[in-house]
Amino acid sequence: MDSTPISPTAANTAKDAASVSKPATGHLRENKVLESSSASRLLILQSMVPLATNLVSSQLEALSNRLAEQLFKLSDQAVRPEEARISLDAHQLIKRNSTSFYRLVASQINAALSREVSVFNTRKRVKKDQQYLDNTAQTYEEMEGKILLRNASHALEVLNAEPLVMLNTLIGRILNRIPIDVSQNPFRPEIFVKAVHQAWMELDPNPASHLLVLRLLQPAVFLQLHPILDEINQALMARGIRPDGDDLADASTGNSVYLPVQKSFNMDPYLQDKLKRVFSGQIELPYTDPDHGLSSLAMVSDTLTNQLDHDAEEDHADKASIDQQFFEDLREMQIRYAETESNTTQLRSRLHKVLHSPSAQKLSLLERNTIELLARMFDYIFADPSLGSDMKNMIAQLQIPIVRVVLFDRDFFFRESHPARTLLDMLGSSGIVLDQESSNPDPLLGVIGDVIERVQSEFDEHIDLFSDVVSDLESYLKEEESKAQMAISQPVQTALSAEKMRIAREFAEHDVAIRVETGEVAGFLEVFLEEQWIRILTIAHSVKEEKPHALENALKTMDDLIWSLKPKNSPEERKELIAKLPAMLTLLNAWLNAIRWDEPDRVLFFSKLAERHAAMARAPLELSPRRQLEIAVNIAQRASNRRLERFVHDKNVQEEDEASKEVAALERGMWLAFSEDAEQVTRYKLAWISPKRGSFIFANRQGDQAFSITNTDLEAKYRAGTVSTILANSLVDRALSHALRDLAV
């Protein structure tokens, strides 16, 4: 580490040299990374294929339901009887074989993406129309299929333009060239549409349904590609690929992930202009004597002003000695304040007084502005209600060292990663999360005290000292964060298990609901499915990764049971029912034994089931057209009522308020204030968010106090006003904005 003192005369020279050498170094490092990325680009993109496939798999049930619903609507609204029949057949097919459809789609998408990734770098650009309309189409159906594919793909490209452009840019970075065209993107919407359509063609051998389904694959029905593309972009950027070309951006220069999350803070352009004018000499900051209440630069004598105007050359010649005397005075102040700091009871910026010291009389306008701006910033910090008195006392001891640093290097005001600025921001963040409720002193406060003491005793124009103490404080916080994560490992596992069962229950409820909504489920069977079979499906969904056949078996048994109670209008259907009953009832009893349903209701259920089956076997061989129409009307009426109920329920669930938006915006690392009563407010960090954002784990900084809360309960607390988000913006940014805001231009 270079410990050469920074002199006022050498500061600009060193800065200029750094500005010249830095781009060259950055260019060499960038080329090195891009060379490495280019060599392994295939592996990087191949690793995105299973990510995309898994994200698609999570949407397949919803896709299947939307497609089935559209097919049913088309069968009801189609003018041509043939189209209505094909639509209805396709609707029934996907309802009966939804699990097979899931597997086919996932397999097709995985194969298509793998194939595209393997050849994407060799693909030549083609005109957008030519990629769909080539000369290989010989029949009307083939030509129509290509047109439908083009329309569906184009609609999805428009809807997902933002993440697609980002992904084009990132892939271009991997290839070490300009962003690629969407026709070269291996994750373009066309690939997903083709894969889903191919899966349908495998599921249904009837060619008549192929174009019909392709026509329905519009954005409202199709997979939601935006979150899939977003996840791929995030995964690539996590690998170090950056859209702006800065692949080596150092994430450690600012506040780290173990601190409260830092919201992006952009200073108002008007305030930025003020800051530039302050340091260009266009604005002269008035300053105040805290003891006498005198204000403005009129306190500087006219004699001194005239001397500065008329003796500029002499002042320039004596500048080094004047500065040296001023810095000697600052050093003495630093020592004196360090000795008396423990007796300080009133917090206010000392820097106003610094400007009235004898050696400050000949400071330049730029130097006076610098000190006055810092004084105003420290005034804001000492008035900040988010910081406790202990932390404010700690920060107060840094005033003189910060002045000495900033007079050497005014990048403090412009560069977020400046070590002195980083230290202040870390202290501001740490002050928010100090444990002030415990009877024992917070150990973090002791570590910060050691840091302050080291700065007070060792700082002597070596800015590297600030980098050292920042590193020490970061190391302590990282170690504390690591221990906290270990402490919450068991609550995380418990929450994961609970969420897994909750999600499995939601899937089970959905499986039953879409069947009940058809209106074809008998009343007593509907109660049975909603009260008992949901329990079976919940278990099956929870183990589908380990035992996928269990879910398929449970769904098939449910579908067979529903079918067994539908009207049988022909002798063949009745024979099929009689043939299937023994095996179906055996499976039904086996599943019910698994959930240990041994209540008297089970006997009653099977009694009703037997009566219905016997009645169907004794029914007239042929139902009259009128009776068939009555049955169909009743089924349609029940289906309509069910859909209306579902629509109203979904609309109520989807309505968002401010509380739900607050919870949706939460990120790991944020701090929240919980106030069960008006007198006691406790701060906890959001330590973990479940994959589906259904539950959250909050903990204190050490992790020894942790609790889990569901999404619904957390929203209720926001609505009740017993919880609020603590925004941990940069302390220096806030203080600087405050110092400039009331400044007259």
Side-chain angles (χ1 to χ4, degrees), residues 56-69:
V56 166
S57 298
S58 67
Q59 296 189 32
L60 290 180
E61 185 171 12
L63 169 64
S64 175
N65 294 335
R66 291 193 296 268
L67 183 56
E69 183 179 358

Side-chain angles (χ1 to χ4, degrees), residues 258-260 386-387 427-436 442 444 477 480 669 671 683 685 700-702 726:
Y258 49 83
L259 291 176
S386 69
L387 299 177
L427 295 181
S429 297
S430 299
I432 293 176
V433 303
L434 281 172
D435 186 0
Q436 301 177 6
D442 192 319
L444 176 57
L477 291 171
E480 196 174 57
W671 285 77
R683 294 169 176 175
K685 182 178 68 173
N700 63 348
R701 206 182 65 253
Q702 294 85 1
I726 302 172

Side-chain angles (χ1 to χ4, degrees), residues 622-688:
E622 296 290 342
L623 295 177
S624 66
R626 179 173 181 176
R627 178 55 183 161
Q628 293 183 34
L629 179 61
E630 289 177 354
I631 293 174
V633 169
N634 289 335
I635 290 174
Q637 183 63 44
R638 288 200 300 270
S640 176
N641 292 338
R642 284 292 185 179
R643 289 195 194 97
L644 181 61
E645 291 172 5
R646 180 70 172 267
F647 175 78
V648 173
H649 176 267
D650 289 347
K651 186 175 181 181
N652 292 335
V653 170
Q654 291 173 4
E655 288 182 354
E656 288 190 349
D657 58 6
E658 287 302 317
S660 60
K661 292 177 182 178
E662 288 272 10
V663 174
L666 291 178
E667 299 174 12
R668 182 178 175 272
M670 281 185 170
W671 285 77
L672 275 65
F674 291 81
S675 53
E676 297 301 331
D677 53 60
E679 298 181 356
Q680 185 175 5
V681 177
T682 309
R683 294 169 176 175
Y684 290 100
K685 182 178 68 173
L686 179 50
W688 180 81

Side-chain angles (χ1 to χ4, degrees), residues 573-584:
E573 288 181 338
R574 294 186 179 91
K575 289 179 181 179
E576 184 181 3
L577 171 64
I578 295 171
K580 281 187 175 181
L581 274 180
M584 183 196 74

Side-chain angles (χ1 to χ4, degrees), residues 40 71 224 379 421 431 475 621 631 680 709 740:
S40 60
L71 287 167
Q224 304 302 303
D379 283 339
R421 179 170 179 156
S475 297
L621 293 182
I631 293 174
Q680 185 175 5
I709 185 171
L740 292 169

Side-chain angles (χ1 to χ4, degrees), residues 57-58 60-62 65 98-99 102 497 499-515 533-555 558 591:
S57 298
S58 67
L60 290 180
E61 185 171 12
N65 294 335
S98 57
T99 303
Y102 301 163
S497 299
E499 177 166 88
K500 183 178 182 180
M501 294 304 297
R502 184 166 58 252
I503 293 173
R505 174 82 183 189
E506 290 175 359
F507 279 129
E509 291 173 348
H510 182 72
D511 289 336
V512 170
I514 61 176
R515 288 162 173 81
W533 205 256
I534 278 180
R535 295 167 57 195
I536 292 170
L537 290 174
T538 299
I539 296 173
H541 273 289
S542 68
V543 299
K544 68 178 180 180
E545 294 180 0
E546 302 85 8
K547 301 178 180 179
H549 296 296
L551 177 60
E552 186 176 351
N553 181 285
L555 290 172
M558 174 172 61
W591 277 114

Side-chain angles (χ1 to χ4, degrees), residues 107-271:
S107 175
Q108 284 292 336
I109 284 181
N110 185 72
L113 293 179
S114 299
R115 184 169 56 252
E116 285 294 313
V117 166
S118 66
V119 300
F120 87 101
N121 196 28
T122 62
R123 184 183 296 106
K124 296 181 179 179
R125 297 189 183 194
V126 295
K127 291 183 179 180
K128 208 150 199 173
D129 291 339
Q130 290 178 351
Q131 62 179 316
Y132 302 104
L133 302 178
D134 54 43
N135 295 324
T136 61
Q138 300 296 325
T139 66
Y140 173 83
E141 289 76 13
E142 289 175 338
M143 182 63 73
E144 184 181 6
K146 290 180 178 293
I147 293 174
L148 291 173
L149 175 63
R150 178 193 62 187
N151 293 341
S153 301
H154 179 69
L156 289 166
E157 286 176 15
V158 172
L159 186 63
N160 300 281
E162 184 178 348
L164 269 175
V165 170
M166 173 65 76
L167 186 53
N168 290 344
T169 303
L170 294 177
I171 295 177
R173 288 286 300 147
I174 295 174
L175 297 175
N176 196 15
R177 63 173 184 244
I178 61 175
I180 64 171
D181 186 81
V182 69
S183 64
Q184 296 174 294
N185 192 327
F187 300 96
R188 61 191 183 277
E190 174 199 0
I191 302 303
F192 292 90
V193 177
K194 280 184 175 179
V196 172
H197 187 228
Q198 184 63 39
W200 176 261
M201 290 192 292
E202 288 190 30
L203 181 70
D204 187 2
N206 182 10
S209 72
H210 296 172
L211 289 179
L212 184 146
V213 168
L214 183 56
R215 193 177 297 117
L216 294 178
L217 295 183
Q218 297 301 310
V221 176
F222 198 65
L223 297 165
Q224 304 302 303
L225 295 183
H226 205 294
I228 297 173
L229 297 172
D230 276 341
E231 285 289 338
I232 295 174
N233 286 332
Q234 292 297 325
L236 288 176
M237 286 190 283
R239 295 280 191 107
I241 312 300
R242 294 289 183 268
D244 55 5
D246 186 13
D247 290 345
L248 289 172
D250 186 358
S252 65
T253 54
N255 288 333
S256 304
V257 294
Y258 49 83
L259 291 176
V261 70
Q262 300 296 307
K263 295 293 182 183
S264 58
F265 186 92
N266 296 315
M267 185 183 292
D268 189 304
Y270 181 61
L271 297 181

